[in-house]
Amino acid sequence: MSKALISIDIQNDYFEGGAMELHNPVEASENVKKILDAYRKDNKEIIHVQHIAAAPEMGFFLPNTNGAEINDNVKPKDGEKLIVKHAPNAFVDTDLLEYLKSKNISELVFTGMMTQMCIDATVRAAKDLGFECTVIGDACATRDLEINGNKVKAKDVQTAFLAGLSFYYADVKNTKEYLSA
């Protein structure tokens, strides 16, 4: 079984001072870096995903801005695949599926941002496409949300979405647990 690490949307707009700050993005990116380092050491497949806003009204990840750049903690290195997307699901209108098939990859390990949006959408799609999926929960980040006047803390959003994914779509682990396996 061939495996790839997919690092989704770890971009500057999600960090302090960015247009869409998340809760604990630095800590999540540091965990991603640990996993990236392990994959790089073992010459395993790494795929970076970068979201570029298709429309300016999105307000973040605007083309040709520092906010859209992948954070320095996890910048792609030469030879690592970069997928640019314009929708939450990294399979929509990209060559991700074709690339994975060309490399005979059947197992995907996900890290990135935002848990409730791009991680959730891409992991569910990957499982539906037949991939075995693992999500590294502490290598993902989200933010506080609100619906109908009800506020949901980022910690609760994170827990709820990871719990939902773990029911069927993915094996959810933390960085230490994943790296020690």
Side-chain angles (χ1 to χ4, degrees), residues 54-97:
E57 55 270 13
M58 185 168 155
F60 62 104
F61 296 161
L62 300 177
N64 305 310
T65 64
N66 180 61
E69 295 301 312
I70 294 176
N71 188 267
D72 285 343
N73 283 352
V74 296
K75 276 239 186 276
K77 294 197 174 188
D78 288 343
E80 295 175 355
K81 177 73 171 167
L82 175 65
I83 302 278
V84 174
K85 68 178 180 69
H86 306 287
N89 177 349
F91 289 98
V92 173
D93 295 328
T94 71
D95 68 343
L96 179 58
L97 181 59

Side-chain angles (χ1 to χ4, degrees), residues 16 37 50 56 70 103 116 120 148 172 178-179:
E16 185 176 344
D37 289 345
Q50 180 183 27
I70 294 176
K103 297 287 186 176
Q116 85 286 359
D120 186 67
N148 300 325
V172 177
Y178 180 74
L179 290 175

Side-chain angles (χ1 to χ4, degrees), residues 116-133:
Q116 85 286 359
M117 187 58 67
C118 299
I119 297 298
D120 186 67
T122 305
V123 170
R124 289 174 187 269
K127 180 70 173 181
D128 290 344
L129 289 167
F131 294 95
E132 289 301 313
C133 300

